[in-house]
Amino acid sequence: MEDVRVLIAEDEREISDLLKKYLDRELYKVDVAENGEEALCMFDKNSYNLVILDLMMPKVDGIEVCRRLRNKTNVPILMLTAKDNEVEKILGLSIGADDYITKPFSINEVVARVKALIRRFLILGSDGHSYEKTMIRFKGISIDLKKYTVNIAGEEISLTAKEFELLKFFISHPEQVFTKTQLFRNVWDSNYIEDDNTVMVHIRKLRKKIEADPSNPQFIQTIWGIGYKFTGEKDES
């Protein structure tokens, strides 16, 4: 497997040095940008498998960096946020971040989340044969697990890595009801749900992209008081 490369965009040197030190131990190639403008330039020049992005950065803030990256890539983005800044957490997720973690953080938790995001991205985006079926079709939606693409009625839909994972999980378990905690455990690969807004925001974003009428969803159904399920008939052809 080719080298895994990570971009850290963080203006606090102590934090970026700590992250780089521990990610170097995982044998990742790690680059560090000290502001948003530098991060965007580095991303254009190099190929990365994951971006760790601080929300509060000089020149171009993390929200804008995330927005620009999402216009051209599905590479996973892990955002670093202030401890109690709920609005920015939700905003970051709504524009395409795959996950977030609050400061101060456990470095071991950051490394675990980074490894989970990279593992999923490499498996789903690889040319290997990690899945027996590389194409799933479900009620007009086609998911290509090999090319990491989604098509609805012949039109390719742009999803983030986490949105892709969420949709794939739902389609792989049709008509099964999941709580937000269960979705977080299976899609985010973590037993601890820090904030159930994480799941809600991603479901809202996914509905906007795959539902003809997001306010009256036909695919992702809300089961009040319990959670969500994906409904419809699977196309086996």
Side-chain angles (χ1 to χ4, degrees), residues 15-16 24 28 40 70 83 87 89 101 148 157 201 228:
I15 293 178
S16 61
D24 282 342
Y28 298 152
L40 290 168
R70 272 296 164 256
K83 184 175 182 180
V87 174
K89 292 176 192 174
I101 196 162
Y148 207 66
I157 307 299
V201 167
Y228 304 91

Side-chain angles (χ1 to χ4, degrees), residues 178-196:
F178 293 97
T179 66
K180 284 177 282 190
T181 299
Q182 288 173 322
L183 289 172
F184 194 85
R185 183 182 300 123
N186 284 279
V187 177
W188 277 259
D189 198 25
S190 174
N191 288 323
Y192 174 62
I193 181 168
E194 183 175 346
D195 183 357
D196 60 12

Side-chain angles (χ1 to χ4, degrees), residues 10 34 36 43 46 58 69 123 128 142 171 174 185-186 192 235:
E10 168 62 68
E34 296 184 350
F43 192 90
N46 302 295
L69 291 181
I123 290 174
S142 297
I171 286 181
R185 183 182 300 123
N186 284 279
Y192 174 62
D235 182 3

Side-chain angles (χ1 to χ4, degrees), residues 202-229:
H202 277 81
I203 286 179
R204 183 166 66 246
K205 288 164 49 186
L206 187 55
R207 279 173 169 165
K208 287 181 179 179
K209 294 180 178 182
I210 70 171
E211 301 279 3
D213 180 7
S215 62
N216 183 32
Q218 301 302 304
F219 294 121
I220 303 176
Q221 302 285 325
T222 298
I223 309 301
W224 296 108
I226 303 177
Y228 304 91
K229 74 172 181 177

Side-chain angles (χ1 to χ4, degrees), residues 9-162:
E10 168 62 68
D11 62 313
E12 294 186 48
R13 181 63 64 85
E14 289 185 4
I15 293 178
S16 61
D17 286 349
L18 178 66
L19 290 169
K20 186 177 188 308
K21 175 183 177 181
Y22 276 80
L23 294 179
D24 282 342
R25 292 180 180 178
E26 300 297 327
L27 303 182
Y28 298 152
K29 287 190 174 181
V30 182
D31 295 329
V32 177
E34 296 184 350
N35 60 67
E37 186 177 280
E38 184 181 9
L40 290 168
C41 290
M42 293 177 72
F43 192 90
D44 287 339
K45 293 178 181 179
N46 302 295
S47 177
Y48 293 102
N49 303 105
L50 179 132
V51 177
I52 299 177
L53 181 61
D54 183 34
L55 276 173
M56 303 299 295
M57 286 190 299
K59 296 190 177 182
V60 182
D61 65 30
I63 294 294
E64 181 60 23
V65 172
C66 184
R67 182 181 290 111
R68 293 187 194 180
L69 291 181
R70 272 296 164 256
N71 286 333
K72 56 188 175 184
T73 182
N74 284 329
V75 166
I77 297 174
L78 173 63
M79 299 200 85
L80 304 178
T81 76
K83 184 175 182 180
D84 297 316
N85 205 332
E86 189 68 26
V87 174
E88 288 193 341
K89 292 176 192 174
I90 296 173
L91 181 57
L93 292 171
S94 70
I95 62 172
D98 295 281
D99 200 359
Y100 71 84
I101 196 162
T102 56
K103 299 177 183 178
F105 51 73
S106 160
I107 187 63
N108 290 328
E109 182 181 1
V110 174
V111 172
R113 294 199 191 190
V114 165
K115 291 170 70 175
L117 287 169
I118 289 176
R119 182 171 64 250
R120 284 201 177 105
F121 183 69
L122 292 179
I123 290 174
L124 291 173
S126 71
D127 290 327
H129 300 283
S130 299
Y131 296 94
E132 291 183 5
K133 293 184 65 177
T134 60
M135 184 72 80
I136 297 177
R137 295 181 177 88
F138 195 106
K139 201 178 179 181
I141 298 178
S142 297
I143 299 183
D144 191 323
L145 301 175
K146 190 173 181 179
K147 296 181 179 179
Y148 207 66
T149 58
V150 176
N151 281 267
I152 298 179
E155 180 181 353
E156 185 168 322
I157 307 299
S158 177
L159 300 182
T160 68
K162 194 61 67 178

